Amino acid sequence: MGGRVTVTGTKITAAPRHGTGQDAEGASAAFDASDVTDVLDVSGHWLVPGFVDLHNHGGGGASFSGSAEDVLKAVRTHRSHGTTTLVASTVTDDMDVLVRQAGLLSELAEQGDLAGIHFEGPFISPCRKGAHSEALLRDPDPAEVRKLVDAARGHARMVTLATELPGGLDSVRLLAEHGVIAAVGHTDATYEQTVQAIEAGATVATHLFNAMPPLGHRAPGPIAALLQDERVTVELINDGTHLHPAALELAFRHAGPGRVAFITDAMDAAGIGDGRYLLGPLAVEVSEGVARLVEGGSIAGSTLTLDRAFQRAVTIDRLPVEDVVAALSANPARLLGLADRVGSLEPGKDADLVLLDDAFEVRGVMRKGVWVVAPDLA
């Protein structure tokens, strides 16, 4: 479908009515600044909203557990791949370290570089710890959960919990009361325990299928409960490693396109390549794009960027483009309470745009009216 998107300053001022992304056959985009209008003919390309990543640990060789310079390096890496709104995820560490990191990340959120903070750990199950240090895990004591939330100075967006642990349900209630997303993940919960967590206020499944009991016909576990409940948004890592295509299809069909959020769960190697890295205090080996702990071999996050998740979803998984755009933009924006600003191409929203060619490769990225990747229509 054709159409025209107009950007004035930092905002979209005109757009087609569907607003969620379009095949820009016969389309154009106008960018106005200082009384000068630049009209870009993007025929044969896709113009879609900037991507929103709920769950991301780093990229470009840098981690969100590092210095401010490291954090900004990782942010720039993901922006170059179309992620214009990003929540920084921490990994399990000593509580004092997490409190200090929350202070640093909150400063960058106040500057507008981040959309908030996601605490993944330390309140997770040792049975499903994945790439988290077991020695640093602890039960989700509501007082300690509150300590992290307070350290984030209003920028805590999500906390992943094993809600079956002592204090888990009370912590979910605490988070809900403070407007912070309680996410069920790295959990060994039963189906019944997961239902209890949802009733207490949990609304997200942290990387569904991963770091939780598998779906069973007598013991359906958390997966069935999380897929069944319409109040729950399910995160999916669509990198071809974390999920079999049939599992992805199951989640999309059962939850529906309005309840799926594609995430990266990226670590330092995203956008860089193979080698040795650290994820928190743990050593990681990345080989052929797959990150695994040096000790034990557990998958340790991903090297994914959201443009690759988009491309795979459309070209390999054969999902409708509009559903993929929703999973990358509108759904996570709504979950974060940012749907009035980002997540779709609508007048009044931030001018966050991604230009893709017919092979779904990134050909341009705009954030708040500024090209961070200059358009290439060759």
Side-chain angles (χ1 to χ4, degrees), residues 92-94 120-140 144 165 186:
T92 295
D93 212 321
D94 181 82
E120 188 181 26
F123 311 115
I124 60 177
S125 171
C127 301
R128 304 286 174 177
K129 63 182 183 298
H132 292 255
S133 172
E134 185 169 354
L136 296 170
L137 301 182
R138 57 185 67 209
D139 291 339
E144 292 198 318
L165 295 176
H186 287 276

Side-chain angles (χ1 to χ4, degrees), residues 243-291:
L243 295 176
H244 189 282
L248 181 81
E249 182 182 12
L250 173 68
F252 249 97
R253 287 198 177 189
H254 203 88
R259 288 177 47 214
V260 172
F262 280 142
I263 61 163
T264 60
D265 194 18
M267 46 79 70
D268 301 25
I272 294 292
D274 294 352
R276 281 285 182 106
Y277 298 87
L278 286 175
L279 183 61
L282 302 179
V284 175
E285 179 77 30
V286 178
S287 177
E288 297 182 355
V290 178

Side-chain angles (χ1 to χ4, degrees), residues 117-329:
I117 306 167
H118 163 219
F119 297 101
E120 188 181 26
F123 311 115
I124 60 177
S125 171
C127 301
R128 304 286 174 177
K129 63 182 183 298
H132 292 255
S133 172
E134 185 169 354
L136 296 170
L137 301 182
R138 57 185 67 209
D139 291 339
D141 180 344
E144 292 198 318
V145 174
R146 176 65 186 271
K147 184 178 180 180
L148 287 185
V149 171
D150 288 347
R153 302 202 302 263
H155 297 287
R157 293 289 175 262
M158 184 162 65
V159 179
T160 293
L161 306 160
T163 55
E164 75 278 8
L165 295 176
L169 294 180
D170 286 339
S171 293
V172 169
R173 296 185 186 101
L174 170 76
L175 292 168
E177 289 169 3
H178 286 81
V180 179
I181 298 164
V184 178
H186 287 276
T187 177
D188 205 39
T190 64
Y191 173 88
E192 292 77 14
Q193 289 171 326
T194 306
V195 169
Q196 286 183 311
I198 296 168
E199 291 299 326
T203 58
V204 165
T206 292
H207 42 55
L208 186 73
F209 298 107
N210 296 113
M212 59 182 63
L215 185 65
H217 65 293
R218 292 193 182 93
I223 294 171
L226 294 163
L227 282 175
Q228 283 179 337
D229 200 296
E230 294 185 355
R231 292 169 291 185
V232 177
T233 297
V234 298
E235 295 181 347
L236 299 175
I237 308 171
N238 192 25
D239 61 353
T241 297
H242 282 80
L243 295 176
H244 189 282
L248 181 81
E249 182 182 12
L250 173 68
F252 249 97
R253 287 198 177 189
H254 203 88
R259 288 177 47 214
V260 172
F262 280 142
I263 61 163
T264 60
D265 194 18
M267 46 79 70
D268 301 25
I272 294 292
D274 294 352
R276 281 285 182 106
Y277 298 87
L278 286 175
L279 183 61
L282 302 179
V284 175
E285 179 77 30
V286 178
S287 177
E288 297 182 355
V290 178
R292 294 186 179 275
L293 291 182
V294 172
E295 293 189 14
S298 176
I299 293 176
S302 85
T303 62
L304 188 64
T305 51
L306 283 182
D307 58 333
R308 296 306 178 200
F310 191 125
Q311 185 181 53
R312 180 180 178 86
V314 175
T315 63
I316 296 176
D317 303 311
R318 301 295 182 184
L319 294 172
V321 171
E322 59 270 25
D323 292 350
V324 177
V325 170
L328 286 166
S329 302

Side-chain angles (χ1 to χ4, degrees), residues 353-378:
L353 315 172
V354 181
L355 185 64
L356 304 166
D357 63 20
D358 59 2
F360 300 97
E361 296 281 351
V362 170
R363 295 299 180 185
V365 179
M366 172 177 282
R367 183 174 187 270
K368 295 186 177 180
V370 176
W371 289 107
V372 295
V373 175
D376 175 8
L377 301 176

